[in-house]
Amino acid sequence: MSLYIGREASKLWKRFCAEVSTEIHLLAENWKYILGGLICQYIHGLAARGVHYIHRPGPTLQDAGFFLLPELGQDKAYISETVFTSIFISFVLWTFYPFIFKSKKIYTVLIWCRVLAFLVASQFLRIITFYSTQLPGPNYHCREGSKLATLPPPHSAIELFVINFPRGVLYGCGDLIFSSHMIFSLVFIRTYQRYGTKRWIKQLAWLLAVVQSLLIIASRKHYTVDVVVAWYTVNLVVFFVDSKLPEMPDRSSGGASLLLPLSSKEKDSRNKEENHKLMNGNSVDTTDRQRQRNGMNGKILDDGLAHNDNAMNGA
């Protein structure tokens, strides 16, 4: 029993080390996109803090969602944050699953490049929107009479570049249209919808997105328009940006291995294979042969299994 556990632990460690080497190689090629996306996250935080300086509390606007959904109250406002945190943490853990599990469908670095591209495009539109018109915040700390509804003028230029995380994020006012929580949630869910493999997780994720939308309104963190605009804006942004980005290679395909660094054994075996093909006058690649075989025997499904034509014909 201990020998079996030791072998499995050794395999897991080797798999982890190989994955780290692969991701470092991809990170060296794409670090500019990752760094640019993180800088844009910081700029978005500065913009949200800046609009807090010009926020003016006032009477809560008439809202259909406020009439339909009962107010949770300050003591239950944590419920919506709990749902959002569960979505956030679950997605982050999923992007790193190739380091542990054998079924590798995605590259962690490449998936985060796409996610950051979606976030940056959506947040750019959000900054333009909430600076265009400042609405009186419906949240409890943004209403008239609250000391947190407005920020005192900055005493130095340094204060303008301090986000004051996480207090400045939790108690911000003025950055309403459209909801930042829904941006992150919808981007994460749309990404898993395309690259994830578990159907029940996809269905659960969309259900959580609907529940979170209702909880945000019920906790009076946003107006209904903030959530509604987020739903169609983020989905349209993801659809448009994703169509402009290059297709992310699937790890199950043979061509995706060309992106990864090869070990010395793999290089030697590939060189021997190429020399053998040149000597025999054969230029057909092994992946092409496999594709021809799959085309003759059946079709490849999403989970990598082959359908036999005989089975389809009832034989």
Side-chain angles (χ1 to χ4, degrees), residues 45-57 130-131 134 148-164 171-175:
L46 289 182
R49 178 175 173 81
V51 78
H52 196 170
Y53 283 103
I54 59 179
H55 173 259
R56 294 295 177 266
F130 66 65
Y131 266 105
Q134 289 83 45
L148 301 175
T150 57
L151 290 178
H155 298 288
S156 63
I158 299 178
E159 292 187 19
L160 296 175
F161 296 95
V162 176
I163 299 179
N164 191 19
Y171 294 98
C173 298
D175 56 329

Side-chain angles (χ1 to χ4, degrees), residues 4 26 95 111 114 118 178 182 196 199 204 221 225 227 232-233 245 258 260 295 299-300 308:
Y4 174 78
L26 293 175
T95 60
I111 204 73
R114 303 183 83 87
F118 302 149
F178 42 95
M182 293 306 302
R199 179 178 297 180
L204 176 62
K221 294 182 179 180
V225 65
V227 177
Y232 63 75
T233 302
L245 295 176
L258 300 176
L260 308 180
K299 359 181 230 188
I300 298 297
N308 197 318

